[in-house]
Amino acid sequence: MSVIQKAFLTNSLTHKEIVGILSSDEYNDSLFSYANLARKEHNGDDVHLKGLLEFSNICSKNCHYCGLRRQNKSLKRYRLKPKEIISLAEKAISYGYKTIVLQSGESNIYGIDEFCHVIKSIRKMGAHVTLSIGEKSEEEYLAYKNAGANRYLLRIETTDEELYKKLHPSMSHQNRFECLKVLKKLGYETGSGSLVGLPGQSISSLADDILFFQKSGFDMIGIGPFISNENTPLRSEKNGSFYMALKVMAIIRLLMPKINIPASTAMETLDKNGRVIALQSGANVVMPVITEGEHRSLYRLYPGKICLDDTPSHCRLCISGKIRSIGRGVSLTNGDSNNFIYRGGAA
Ligand code: 5AD
Ligand code: SF4
């Protein structure tokens, strides 16, 4: 039996085996097709579409890879008013979105009550709410949970402590781990993930990331390649590799067959067919942007972001067409992760 078949049947791999798979391209075809099979067996053929609403690009952090970092003075900053956020969400729901993902840089520019009002209003319109707004206190996470937020995304970015320190000035790796624990404890459907191809990142540390995700029992994992941004200290570094990110994602699918895995937008930036390839290699979620106009391009984590001039309704039609063209369908459910349902988390 090959190592990939073993992973498919037992949902387990050792650190050494993962390093072996990541270090060679000989497993690629079988890795991607078994990951696709695992996705199909545990999640079916339907793809969850979740509307990504980038409601503010203001950020108090200084992550070395990210265009929203505080010290990037060349970026015009914006924040949508609660009313504007709710109205964009309403439109997206009318196009068929069943989950709204509220994402922003890390900041405290909205009061907790104000933000609870946004969450409650979107929940009242019948959609699920995912938050992706960074590290907060337990009290704040609890307030949003009580307001009705269902899910939370917080990538660990890398489990390599030294590398984390270098790339995240004055941030605490330990606190990020703590936040993830608290989110899970509070009953959020919890997502994490990492960047692949960061300068100085080793294959062994990618294997650590994968085993950390499995051990933590997260419900969703988002993997994206690092893309070099000219307005950051990493401007002269090479981009991560599309195929390395795809391999990390596919191994995660074999080890965590029930979770939700998005086909990340950063993958599509590096390969014009990236999201479809990811959907055929283990992914079962796509998060099209539902932000409108100028804000789509101002939310610039990295260059080459796709679909900058498109409207949210166009994006939904476009991705739905691509999904159908590969014999898959758009899910009509609320998009809960089967892992979350299985561990008794869903309401
Ligand atoms: N390349 C790829 N992904 C990036 N992110 C931030 N900057 C970049 C970049 N230059 C990702 C981080 C963050 C998510 C919202 O965007 O992983 O968690
Ligand atoms: Fe801010 Fe997140 Fe970008 Fe870091 S990755 S600078 S926290 S938006």
Side-chain angles (χ1 to χ4, degrees):
M1 197 191 321
S2 78
V3 69
I4 302 294
Q5 280 169 317
K6 185 199 96 166
F8 174 77
L9 292 174
T10 64
N11 310 128
S12 69
L13 283 171
T14 64
H15 188 274
K16 196 169 161 206
E17 287 168 331
I18 298 175
V19 169
I21 297 167
L22 292 179
S23 308
S24 149
D25 281 334
E26 75 183 273
Y27 305 97
N28 288 11
D29 289 349
S30 110
L31 170 62
F32 299 142
S33 58
Y34 273 102
N36 193 37
L37 199 59
R39 183 273 308 155
K40 190 178 172 73
E41 266 192 14
H42 292 268
N43 301 283
D45 275 335
D46 285 353
V47 175
H48 299 297
L49 291 185
K50 307 190 176 188
L52 181 63
L53 205 169
E54 305 153 323
F55 63 92
S56 164
N57 67 355
I58 298 170
C59 189
S60 61
K61 296 285 156 73
N62 246 328
C63 308
H64 276 208
Y65 42 80
C66 178
L68 305 196
R69 65 197 306 270
R70 187 182 74 230
Q71 278 174 6
N72 178 11
K73 304 288 185 216
S74 68
L75 186 68
K76 180 175 154 196
R77 305 286 172 163
Y78 71 90
R79 55 160 280 178
L80 299 183
K81 296 194 179 72
K83 256 205 316 227
E84 295 171 312
I85 304 175
I86 295 164
S87 120
L88 282 178
E90 186 176 16
K91 267 201 228 172
I93 292 167
S94 79
Y95 303 145
Y97 284 105
K98 304 205 176 312
T99 293
I100 304 298
V101 183
L102 297 175
Q103 190 176 80
S104 68
E106 212 173 298
S107 78
N108 292 319
I109 49 173
Y110 299 84
I112 297 184
D113 289 346
E114 194 177 27
F115 205 62
C116 283
H117 167 69
V118 171
I119 295 167
K120 281 185 196 153
S121 308
I122 299 177
R123 294 286 284 128
K124 259 197 220 137
M125 296 188 280
H128 275 46
V129 170
T130 302
L131 301 180
S132 175
I133 55 177
E135 295 176 34
K136 305 283 178 192
S137 66
E138 177 159 353
E139 292 68 42
E140 193 165 343
Y141 284 149
L142 180 62
Y144 300 148
K145 186 80 188 55
N146 288 339
N150 306 84
R151 314 186 182 116
Y152 207 102
L153 302 177
L154 185 72
R155 287 184 175 178
I156 195 70
E157 314 293 1
T158 173
T159 57
D160 178 335
E161 192 170 349
E162 282 310 305
L163 182 61
Y164 189 90
K165 261 199 221 149
K166 277 190 205 147
L167 297 177
H168 302 89
S170 54
M171 283 172 75
S172 151
H173 208 198
Q174 200 46 46
N175 190 55
R176 209 154 177 94
F177 284 111
E178 277 307 313
C179 285
L180 284 165
K181 263 196 210 146
V182 167
L183 288 165
K184 222 172 151 205
K185 182 184 84 181
L186 294 178
Y188 279 98
E189 188 175 335
T190 308
S192 192
S194 51
L195 283 164
V196 173
L198 288 165
Q201 189 177 38
S202 67
I203 287 202
S204 171
S205 89
L206 289 173
D208 291 338
D209 293 356
I210 294 170
L211 291 173
F212 163 69
F213 297 144
Q214 185 180 32
K215 188 178 82 196
S216 307
F218 294 126
D219 304 301
M220 312 172 259
I221 295 293
I223 297 296
F226 158 69
I227 300 172
S228 178
N229 185 326
E230 72 279 13
N231 296 315
T232 69
L234 301 187
R235 63 181 65 82
S236 41
E237 300 290 344
K238 274 203 328 256
N239 285 344
S241 134
F242 171 76
Y243 274 101
M244 186 58 88
L246 195 69
K247 284 164 71 167
V248 170
M249 188 203 82
I251 295 173
I252 291 170
R253 170 57 77 205
L254 292 179
L255 301 191
M256 305 176 76
K258 290 190 166 55
I259 66 167
N260 275 345
I261 300 185
S264 67
T265 313
M267 285 193 183
E268 187 111 338
T269 297
L270 293 191
D271 184 307
K272 68 176 181 8
N273 215 13
R275 287 181 300 177
V276 161
I277 297 173
L279 286 173
Q280 294 174 309
S281 310
N284 69 321
V285 175
V286 178
M287 305 203 300
V289 170
I290 59 165
T291 320
E292 289 183 358
E294 180 195 33
H295 301 136
R296 284 169 94 86
S297 49
L298 289 176
Y299 200 83
R300 191 198 304 240
L301 306 164
Y302 48 78
K305 185 179 175 192
I306 57 168
C307 314
L308 285 184
D309 297 326
D310 294 328
T311 61
S313 68
H314 173 89
C315 276
R316 184 168 171 108
L317 283 175
C318 167
I319 193 70
S320 302
K322 287 186 184 181
I323 289 168
R324 280 189 212 101
S325 77
I326 55 169
R328 306 268 286 276
V330 172
S331 163
L332 299 174
T333 73
N334 68 29
D336 272 343
S337 147
N338 282 338
N339 190 67
F340 188 62
I341 296 169
Y342 186 73
R343 67 183 180 87

